[in-house]
Amino acid sequence: MTALERMAMSDIVCAIRGGAGSRAVQNAAIHQALAGDEALVFLYVIDRRVLEACEASMQPSMRNELYWMGKTLVRIAVARAQAAGLSRVTWAVREGEVREEIVRAVSARPTRLLLIGAPRRETDKGPDPAASFAAWVQATTGVAVEIVAPLPTK
C-alpha cells in the first residue's frame, strides 16, 4: 500500500498499558482522530512472558486476570473517546510478544499512525527504548509512530 493510499483510508492505533503515560497517549490519540476524522483503535497487548513466568497451574487464572485488565483499560479508553465526540472507535486485546503483536495489529488494518506512550523521558541513562521501538516499527511497517510522553508530575 502506498503512503497516499494509507492516508486516504486510515486508522490511528493507540497502544496503551496503564498509568500516566497511557492517559497522555490516549488524550493525544483522541485529539488526532477527532482532528483528522479518522477511526481510532485502542490496543492492549498481554505480554506472553508474564504468563510464562508464572507457575503452570496459575497460568489460566493469570491469563483471565490479564485479559480482564486489558479489556477494562481499552473499554475505559473507548468511553473517553466517545465522550469526546469520536464515533469511530474500537478496541483490541492481543496476547504475545509485545513488539510483534503491535506490528501485527498495525499491519492488519490500513493504519496511518501508531501512538505509543513513553515509558520514561530520555535521560543520561541512555537512549529512550520507546524511540528505538518506534524506529523499528516504522521501518518494519511503513507506519508513522508518535511517542507521547506523560506530563511531568509536580
Side-chain angles (χ1 to χ4, degrees), residues 129-148:
S132 299
F133 174 66
W136 177 76
V137 170
Q138 190 159 352
T140 303
T141 65
V143 172
V145 181
E146 183 176 315
I147 302 167
V148 179

Side-chain angles (χ1 to χ4, degrees), residues 6 12-17 25 41-49 92-109 111 113-119 129-130 133-138 140-146:
R6 187 178 300 278
I12 294 174
V13 175
C14 177
I16 64 172
R17 295 182 315 253
V25 76
V41 180
F42 288 107
L43 172 66
Y44 182 86
V45 179
I46 297 167
D47 189 343
R48 185 170 289 148
R49 293 174 301 172
V93 174
R94 298 174 79 104
E95 178 185 332
E97 199 280 318
V98 175
R99 291 169 54 104
E100 296 295 329
E101 289 305 319
I102 290 174
V103 165
R104 284 187 188 103
V106 166
S107 300
R109 61 185 346 103
T111 304
L113 178 65
L114 168 67
L115 287 105
I116 61 172
F133 174 66
W136 177 76
V137 170
Q138 190 159 352
T140 303
T141 65
V143 172
V145 181
E146 183 176 315

